[in-house]
Amino acid sequence: NMNQNEIANLLGVSRPLISKYLMEARNLGVVKIEINDLLTSDNVEDDLSERICKKFNLKDIYIIPSSTNKDLNDQMFVDYATEYILGTFKDNFLLGIGWGSVIGAIIKKIDNFEPKRKLIGDVVPLISNAPISFRNYHTNELVRMLAEATGLNAQYLYAPVICSTPSEREIFLNTDNVKGVMDMYERLDYVVIQIRNFPSVPDLATEARFEKKLHQEKAVGMLLGYYYDINGNVIQSDMDYSIQIPIDSLKKAKKVIGIINTRVNSTAAIGAINLGIFTDIIISDNVAKELL
């Protein structure tokens, strides 16, 4: 399991020489490389999907095999998740997307497709841009990239994700832009949301918004700007002045896809599913096995 640099250092030769030897070894049949379709292997059990769907009242669960190699695992998850998501879309739809590293990676993969995948519909962010430098949490930018890659019509949300006072939040909620986006939230066809652990980075000013409530009420995970406990109860705060899709609007969407990669722990996954907003789940097999 050594890489070429490690082998070269061990033998005291150059990395290009190791690369040449490996190529010759493959040509001679000394080294053989096989690619197995993991999704058809015993790593994914059909009855596991059925049992999870039945237990949590889900319409569909797509289990992706995990690897001990973190980089390979992340790439494999993004590859399969991308194809699953694209395979669910029909023409003339309204899509709402959240934020996060996996969603950012999925959009980047779609952007790199050749030929491009052309879609017909609109895409809108489910929450405003986070006040951090990571592009994967700039939802308007994610919407722009996805729209340019697929031909979808981009709809933007021009408001801060966290307002400083109730009056500031009310001002933004009464703008034509936010009103228009909130109206779209009531008629979404598809929603894609990444589920994350609590605590996690970025923090989204949890101390100012919730003080000690997240620890007192035993938060286990988050999605968008919402925090919840293991039973799927959203933790509320009188000082939370965020602007994002209401939970009740999420429940009205025709298909809500939750993304749970191998870095998400089982308590965060269970709490998210217990919110009752998801119809479909994309999940790593190591996490899926812990749900029962």
Side-chain angles (χ1 to χ4, degrees), residues 183-284:
D183 178 65
M184 291 181 192
Y185 289 161
E186 298 299 305
R187 47 190 177 86
L188 291 167
D189 295 301
Y190 303 102
V191 169
V192 179
I193 300 175
Q194 181 176 338
I195 295 161
R196 302 167 58 217
N197 298 323
F198 173 79
S200 60
V201 177
D203 179 71
L204 296 182
T206 54
E207 185 71 23
R209 294 167 60 203
F210 296 95
E211 293 185 334
K212 305 297 182 183
K213 291 195 71 173
L214 296 181
H215 292 284
Q216 291 171 349
E217 299 188 24
K218 299 180 180 179
V220 297
M222 64 177 295
L223 53 84
L224 302 174
Y226 292 110
Y227 298 84
Y228 53 84
D229 64 18
I230 187 69
N231 297 312
N233 299 307
V234 176
I235 298 172
Q236 307 283 351
S237 170
D238 293 336
M239 294 180 294
D240 182 16
Y241 313 129
S242 58
I243 296 178
Q244 57 185 316
I245 184 172
I247 290 290
D248 287 342
S249 298
L250 282 172
K251 292 179 179 179
K252 295 177 183 178
K254 295 176 183 176
K255 184 183 286 287
V256 182
I257 302 172
I259 297 176
I260 305 173
N261 69 355
T262 190
R263 300 173 191 269
V264 178
N265 61 52
S266 59
T267 54
I270 291 170
I273 298 172
N274 282 336
L275 286 166
I277 64 175
F278 294 105
T279 60
D280 299 53
I281 292 293
I282 303 171
I283 189 169
S284 290

Side-chain angles (χ1 to χ4, degrees), residues 98-116:
W99 57 16
S101 58
V102 178
I103 289 180
I106 289 172
I107 292 174
K108 184 178 180 181
K109 182 173 180 61
I110 294 173
D111 187 43
N112 290 332
F113 277 152
E114 291 295 344
K116 297 295 185 183

Side-chain angles (χ1 to χ4, degrees), residues 97-98 104 107 135-136 138-146:
I97 62 170
I107 292 174
R135 186 171 68 173
N136 291 334
H138 292 183
T139 49
N140 281 343
E141 175 65 6
L142 294 177
V143 163
R144 182 196 65 79
M145 290 176 59
L146 183 58

Side-chain angles (χ1 to χ4, degrees), residues 71-180:
D71 292 335
L72 174 61
N73 193 58
D74 290 343
Q75 187 58 56
M76 187 163 57
F77 187 92
V78 168
D79 289 347
Y80 285 121
T82 301
E83 292 299 333
Y84 177 87
I85 291 169
L86 289 176
T88 65
F89 294 156
K90 307 299 180 183
D91 286 345
N92 296 313
F93 59 85
L94 177 55
L95 166 66
I97 62 170
W99 57 16
S101 58
V102 178
I103 289 180
I106 289 172
I107 292 174
K108 184 178 180 181
K109 182 173 180 61
I110 294 173
D111 187 43
N112 290 332
F113 277 152
E114 291 295 344
K116 297 295 185 183
R117 303 281 183 93
K118 291 302 178 183
L119 304 172
I120 301 174
D122 295 83
V123 56
V124 62
L126 300 175
I127 188 170
S128 298
N129 296 331
I132 57 176
S133 60
F134 302 135
R135 186 171 68 173
N136 291 334
Y137 291 88
H138 292 183
T139 49
N140 281 343
E141 175 65 6
L142 294 177
V143 163
R144 182 196 65 79
M145 290 176 59
L146 183 58
E148 288 188 358
T150 60
L152 291 172
N153 298 315
Q155 308 292 336
Y156 299 111
L157 179 58
Y158 298 113
V161 64
I162 302 169
C163 298
S164 57
T165 63
S167 58
E168 181 186 6
R169 182 176 186 271
E170 195 64 27
I171 290 171
F172 279 104
L173 289 177
N174 285 309
T175 63
D176 290 341
N177 169 254
V178 176
K179 282 183 177 179

